[in-house]
Amino acid sequence: MGDAEAEAGYYPLGIGRERKGGFTASTFVFAFTALENMGFVANMVSMFLYFLQVMLFDLSTAANTLTNLMGSTFLLSLIGGFISDTYLSRLYTCLVFGVLEILALVLMTIQAYSHDLHPDPCGKSNCLEGGIALVFYLSLCMLALGSGGVRGSLPALGGDQFDQKNPKEAKDLASFFNWLLLSITIGAAVGVTVIVWVSVNVNWYWGFFISSVAALAGFVILGFGKPFYRLRAPGESPIIRIIQVIVVAIKNRKLPLPEKPDHFYEISDEGTISTEEQIAHTHQFRFLDKAAILREDSKPTPWTVCTVTQVEEVKILTRMLPIVASTIIMNTCLAQLQTFSVQQGNMMDRHLGSMEVPAPSIPVIPLVFMSILIPIYEFFFVPLARKFTHHPSGITQLQRVGVGLVLSAISMAIAGIVEIKRRNQATKLGPSTKPLSLFWLSFQYGIFGIADMFTLVGLLEFFYKEAPAGMRSLSTSLTWLSLSFGYFLSSVFVDVINAVTKRKGKKGWLHGYNLNENNLDLFYWFLAVLSCLNFLNYLYWASWYKYKAEVPDSKPKPRALYGPNLVDHDESSTLDNDQARAICGATHAKDEIPQENEAKNNEACSSDLKEAGND
């Protein structure tokens, strides 16, 4: 396929051409996801100890540095999502930011290897200074930008391989996000066992080196999948479209709203091939509807009037924001499993028979559970639920998120109980008493792992399906935005709680280096109570949310770079014969048959249409 078709904004039905997308293309995405997360997750669960042991941070500084890194990584996913919607295809966005991620891992490998780049003990909470600090923070910034950019564009790249308007592919799309999570889980399980063991028991630089090689292999595989992908061409900036609606609505604020929705401005696709997905009008946020009023003395330009579809895009994103906000607390709880829970495990009995298990490897327990539960969920629960709900995913995405929020609250409550048992056994029963087994932590990790299985997939699928076609990368980045705010909020909670509880000669709940002198259990219970209150808040917003409704007779033709557009053979019935022949004729005229040879052109179209009908 050449550039002419991409410039036209869509591809023909793929008549007589190889079908692309589907699970064949997704296989490359799954392989990349497993390899890239192998190092990413391993580093995120072990880097807390790296900050403590090599960079010589104290407990709160190490925890906040890691949560700030994670928060920045997921916040920067918005940049990746914006670029892949506007300037580059989603594949090229992944590859460009992948270069930054690999360079960051190489720089971290060099710093971990060279003792000249390690700080000397100083007795302070942070001993980094000069060139050592420059290399350290530069590598973290590059890692955050690279990893964030990849995460902002990858889920939408995978989702683009399935057409939501095709009933079969709509079910496949729901399955895609489950298998994407399974790929993350498998890669993470290898990372938290193999890479973490190498980092802790051999040397930290070997762990970073293996992460670099795994990420490089993943990006190479992702690039090799290019001939199989459906690649959507970048379009108009979603940020500009949002700003236009707000600006025009403010300009028209004094105009009365029409009595009927069909009096609003919309581009009709009657007699044309529309390249824009049309969205039905809703009655929420009526003020924004004023942007779709065309003044009598005005011409329809982007800054004087917006279509109903454009207004509804802004409404959809606005409705999504309370859902994003309602999942932040859960991700604050997740941050504790990568910081304080790792330090808990480091002070417990880490022996499994004669083998000593690194504390950061304890997340392998929930990862194993998830590896088993995801196929069970996909092959047994979803088909059973479909019979009752008739929903392609079995249950709605917001219902999945709600289950995850409940389980996260239970996980934090159990974490508080386990910490009391661990601290009592370490401090009150004498030094000769054997420490509590590391595997007591598997309860809080296991329950939270199941919570993450429900919530992460639910959010990714929710934001992808509800988003307008040209904003899907930016929309799925809202999942990572929730994670980002959760990690940042964790840093705020640690500092604020330490400040509030440090009074009248008492030390803060999370002070110093020794957990046995802290009140980590109270911090866990604080998060458990907060999670319960947050769940009530989520129930309100989830019941208030109105799912997107598309115009029934609209015929969207999403833009594509390569391969057929996202309306395939199975949907050829959505076009009447005259429209299909018109598209086909234009394609043959451009690609193979001189335009003046009309008879030969029509004969070729008839042949291809017959072949498409057989498919």
PDB file of all heavy atoms in Angstrom, residues 55 110-120 128-133 135:
ATOM      1  N   MET A  55      23.230   3.507  47.143  1.00  0.00           N
ATOM      2  CA  MET A  55      23.140   4.971  47.128  1.00  0.00           C
ATOM      3  C   MET A  55      23.060   5.562  48.535  1.00  0.00           C
ATOM      4  O   MET A  55      23.079   6.782  48.698  1.00  0.00           O
ATOM      5  CB  MET A  55      21.924   5.410  46.311  1.00  0.00           C
ATOM      6  CG  MET A  55      22.018   5.053  44.840  1.00  0.00           C
ATOM      7  SD  MET A  55      23.343   5.926  43.962  1.00  0.00           S
ATOM      8  CE  MET A  55      24.381   4.548  43.473  1.00  0.00           C
ATOM      9  N   ILE A 110      26.331   1.253  34.125  1.00  0.00           N
ATOM     10  CA  ILE A 110      27.671   1.835  34.297  1.00  0.00           C
ATOM     11  C   ILE A 110      27.853   2.365  35.707  1.00  0.00           C
ATOM     12  O   ILE A 110      28.888   2.142  36.342  1.00  0.00           O
ATOM     13  CB  ILE A 110      27.889   2.946  33.257  1.00  0.00           C
ATOM     14  CG1 ILE A 110      27.924   2.349  31.842  1.00  0.00           C
ATOM     15  CG2 ILE A 110      29.168   3.716  33.538  1.00  0.00           C
ATOM     16  CD1 ILE A 110      27.942   3.385  30.740  1.00  0.00           C
ATOM     17  N   GLN A 111      26.845   3.062  36.245  1.00  0.00           N
ATOM     18  CA  GLN A 111      26.978   3.613  37.594  1.00  0.00           C
ATOM     19  C   GLN A 111      27.038   2.506  38.639  1.00  0.00           C
ATOM     20  O   GLN A 111      27.815   2.591  39.601  1.00  0.00           O
ATOM     21  CB  GLN A 111      25.819   4.554  37.904  1.00  0.00           C
ATOM     22  CG  GLN A 111      25.945   5.189  39.301  1.00  0.00           C
ATOM     23  CD  GLN A 111      25.035   6.362  39.496  1.00  0.00           C
ATOM     24  OE1 GLN A 111      23.890   6.337  39.063  1.00  0.00           O
ATOM     25  NE2 GLN A 111      25.527   7.411  40.150  1.00  0.00           N
ATOM     26  N   ALA A 112      26.237   1.458  38.469  1.00  0.00           N
ATOM     27  CA  ALA A 112      26.278   0.357  39.427  1.00  0.00           C
ATOM     28  C   ALA A 112      27.616  -0.381  39.368  1.00  0.00           C
ATOM     29  O   ALA A 112      28.092  -0.905  40.379  1.00  0.00           O
ATOM     30  CB  ALA A 112      25.138  -0.620  39.141  1.00  0.00           C
ATOM     31  N   TYR A 113      28.243  -0.398  38.188  1.00  0.00           N
ATOM     32  CA  TYR A 113      29.529  -1.116  38.010  1.00  0.00           C
ATOM     33  C   TYR A 113      30.703  -0.335  38.590  1.00  0.00           C
ATOM     34  O   TYR A 113      31.607  -0.919  39.208  1.00  0.00           O
ATOM     35  CB  TYR A 113      29.756  -1.369  36.523  1.00  0.00           C
ATOM     36  CG  TYR A 113      31.091  -2.010  36.210  1.00  0.00           C
ATOM     37  CD1 TYR A 113      31.273  -3.378  36.381  1.00  0.00           C
ATOM     38  CD2 TYR A 113      32.160  -1.244  35.746  1.00  0.00           C
ATOM     39  CE1 TYR A 113      32.495  -3.972  36.099  1.00  0.00           C
ATOM     40  CE2 TYR A 113      33.377  -1.827  35.464  1.00  0.00           C
ATOM     41  CZ  TYR A 113      33.549  -3.194  35.643  1.00  0.00           C
ATOM     42  OH  TYR A 113      34.759  -3.782  35.362  1.00  0.00           O
ATOM     43  N   SER A 114      30.711   0.979  38.406  1.00  0.00           N
ATOM     44  CA  SER A 114      31.856   1.800  38.801  1.00  0.00           C
ATOM     45  C   SER A 114      31.732   2.272  40.244  1.00  0.00           C
ATOM     46  O   SER A 114      30.811   3.017  40.587  1.00  0.00           O
ATOM     47  CB  SER A 114      31.964   3.010  37.865  1.00  0.00           C
ATOM     48  OG  SER A 114      32.982   3.877  38.286  1.00  0.00           O
ATOM     49  N   HIS A 115      32.672   1.890  41.078  1.00  0.00           N
ATOM     50  CA  HIS A 115      32.651   2.331  42.477  1.00  0.00           C
ATOM     51  C   HIS A 115      32.922   3.825  42.596  1.00  0.00           C
ATOM     52  O   HIS A 115      32.587   4.442  43.615  1.00  0.00           O
ATOM     53  CB  HIS A 115      33.680   1.542  43.280  1.00  0.00           C
ATOM     54  CG  HIS A 115      33.313   0.093  43.463  1.00  0.00           C
ATOM     55  ND1 HIS A 115      32.353  -0.322  44.366  1.00  0.00           N
ATOM     56  CD2 HIS A 115      33.765  -1.025  42.852  1.00  0.00           C
ATOM     57  CE1 HIS A 115      32.224  -1.647  44.311  1.00  0.00           C
ATOM     58  NE2 HIS A 115      33.081  -2.101  43.401  1.00  0.00           N
ATOM     59  N   ASP A 116      33.551   4.409  41.576  1.00  0.00           N
ATOM     60  CA  ASP A 116      33.786   5.849  41.596  1.00  0.00           C
ATOM     61  C   ASP A 116      32.491   6.644  41.495  1.00  0.00           C
ATOM     62  O   ASP A 116      32.468   7.843  41.811  1.00  0.00           O
ATOM     63  CB  ASP A 116      34.705   6.248  40.435  1.00  0.00           C
ATOM     64  CG  ASP A 116      36.110   5.679  40.598  1.00  0.00           C
ATOM     65  OD1 ASP A 116      36.504   5.415  41.753  1.00  0.00           O
ATOM     66  OD2 ASP A 116      36.798   5.485  39.576  1.00  0.00           O
ATOM     67  N   LEU A 117      31.441   5.987  41.027  1.00  0.00           N
ATOM     68  CA  LEU A 117      30.137   6.648  40.902  1.00  0.00           C
ATOM     69  C   LEU A 117      29.201   6.294  42.051  1.00  0.00           C
ATOM     70  O   LEU A 117      27.997   6.530  41.974  1.00  0.00           O
ATOM     71  CB  LEU A 117      29.488   6.266  39.565  1.00  0.00           C
ATOM     72  CG  LEU A 117      30.220   6.760  38.310  1.00  0.00           C
ATOM     73  CD1 LEU A 117      29.546   6.239  37.047  1.00  0.00           C
ATOM     74  CD2 LEU A 117      30.277   8.290  38.283  1.00  0.00           C
ATOM     75  N   HIS A 118      29.769   5.698  43.148  1.00  0.00           N
ATOM     76  CA  HIS A 118      28.984   5.402  44.348  1.00  0.00           C
ATOM     77  C   HIS A 118      29.297   6.457  45.408  1.00  0.00           C
ATOM     78  O   HIS A 118      30.457   6.872  45.561  1.00  0.00           O
ATOM     79  CB  HIS A 118      29.331   4.017  44.890  1.00  0.00           C
ATOM     80  CG  HIS A 118      28.977   2.895  43.961  1.00  0.00           C
ATOM     81  ND1 HIS A 118      29.261   1.572  44.237  1.00  0.00           N
ATOM     82  CD2 HIS A 118      28.353   2.895  42.758  1.00  0.00           C
ATOM     83  CE1 HIS A 118      28.839   0.810  43.242  1.00  0.00           C
ATOM     84  NE2 HIS A 118      28.288   1.595  42.332  1.00  0.00           N
ATOM     85  N   PRO A 119      28.308   6.896  46.192  1.00  0.00           N
ATOM     86  CA  PRO A 119      28.567   7.899  47.227  1.00  0.00           C
ATOM     87  C   PRO A 119      29.280   7.297  48.434  1.00  0.00           C
ATOM     88  O   PRO A 119      29.194   6.092  48.685  1.00  0.00           O
ATOM     89  CB  PRO A 119      27.162   8.376  47.597  1.00  0.00           C
ATOM     90  CG  PRO A 119      26.290   7.189  47.325  1.00  0.00           C
ATOM     91  CD  PRO A 119      26.893   6.503  46.133  1.00  0.00           C
ATOM     92  N   ASP A 120      29.958   8.148  49.174  1.00  0.00           N
ATOM     93  CA  ASP A 120      30.574   7.740  50.433  1.00  0.00           C
ATOM     94  C   ASP A 120      29.603   7.998  51.577  1.00  0.00           C
ATOM     95  O   ASP A 120      28.779   8.923  51.506  1.00  0.00           O
ATOM     96  CB  ASP A 120      31.867   8.532  50.669  1.00  0.00           C
ATOM     97  CG  ASP A 120      32.929   8.229  49.619  1.00  0.00           C
ATOM     98  OD1 ASP A 120      33.026   7.045  49.210  1.00  0.00           O
ATOM     99  OD2 ASP A 120      33.630   9.170  49.197  1.00  0.00           O
ATOM    100  N   LEU A 128      24.258  11.888  47.966  1.00  0.00           N
ATOM    101  CA  LEU A 128      24.646  12.122  46.576  1.00  0.00           C
ATOM    102  C   LEU A 128      25.015  13.584  46.366  1.00  0.00           C
ATOM    103  O   LEU A 128      24.345  14.489  46.864  1.00  0.00           O
ATOM    104  CB  LEU A 128      23.495  11.759  45.639  1.00  0.00           C
ATOM    105  CG  LEU A 128      23.039  10.303  45.615  1.00  0.00           C
ATOM    106  CD1 LEU A 128      21.898  10.127  44.626  1.00  0.00           C
ATOM    107  CD2 LEU A 128      24.184   9.386  45.246  1.00  0.00           C
ATOM    108  N   GLU A 129      26.090  13.811  45.593  1.00  0.00           N
ATOM    109  CA  GLU A 129      26.481  15.174  45.246  1.00  0.00           C
ATOM    110  C   GLU A 129      27.371  15.147  44.016  1.00  0.00           C
ATOM    111  O   GLU A 129      27.918  14.101  43.638  1.00  0.00           O
ATOM    112  CB  GLU A 129      27.218  15.841  46.409  1.00  0.00           C
ATOM    113  CG  GLU A 129      28.464  15.108  46.867  1.00  0.00           C
ATOM    114  CD  GLU A 129      29.121  15.750  48.070  1.00  0.00           C
ATOM    115  OE1 GLU A 129      28.461  16.541  48.772  1.00  0.00           O
ATOM    116  OE2 GLU A 129      30.309  15.441  48.311  1.00  0.00           O
ATOM    117  N   GLY A 130      27.495  16.286  43.356  1.00  0.00           N
ATOM    118  CA  GLY A 130      28.392  16.424  42.221  1.00  0.00           C
ATOM    119  C   GLY A 130      28.033  15.537  41.044  1.00  0.00           C
ATOM    120  O   GLY A 130      26.865  15.332  40.705  1.00  0.00           O
ATOM    121  N   GLY A 131      29.086  14.981  40.419  1.00  0.00           N
ATOM    122  CA  GLY A 131      28.914  14.145  39.237  1.00  0.00           C
ATOM    123  C   GLY A 131      28.147  12.872  39.519  1.00  0.00           C
ATOM    124  O   GLY A 131      27.421  12.369  38.642  1.00  0.00           O
ATOM    125  N   ILE A 132      28.287  12.337  40.746  1.00  0.00           N
ATOM    126  CA  ILE A 132      27.560  11.118  41.103  1.00  0.00           C
ATOM    127  C   ILE A 132      26.052  11.378  41.070  1.00  0.00           C
ATOM    128  O   ILE A 132      25.274  10.589  40.520  1.00  0.00           O
ATOM    129  CB  ILE A 132      27.997  10.618  42.487  1.00  0.00           C
ATOM    130  CG1 ILE A 132      29.483  10.237  42.473  1.00  0.00           C
ATOM    131  CG2 ILE A 132      27.150   9.440  42.936  1.00  0.00           C
ATOM    132  CD1 ILE A 132      30.035   9.853  43.821  1.00  0.00           C
ATOM    133  N   ALA A 133      25.658  12.504  41.632  1.00  0.00           N
ATOM    134  CA  ALA A 133      24.237  12.862  41.633  1.00  0.00           C
ATOM    135  C   ALA A 133      23.746  13.118  40.213  1.00  0.00           C
ATOM    136  O   ALA A 133      22.625  12.732  39.855  1.00  0.00           O
ATOM    137  CB  ALA A 133      24.011  14.093  42.501  1.00  0.00           C
ATOM    138  N   VAL A 135      24.827  11.799  37.316  1.00  0.00           N
ATOM    139  CA  VAL A 135      24.635  10.531  36.598  1.00  0.00           C
ATOM    140  C   VAL A 135      23.402   9.805  37.124  1.00  0.00           C
ATOM    141  O   VAL A 135      22.596   9.264  36.349  1.00  0.00           O
ATOM    142  CB  VAL A 135      25.883   9.636  36.729  1.00  0.00           C
ATOM    143  CG1 VAL A 135      25.629   8.257  36.127  1.00  0.00           C
ATOM    144  CG2 VAL A 135      27.083  10.285  36.056  1.00  0.00           C
TER     145      VAL A 135
END
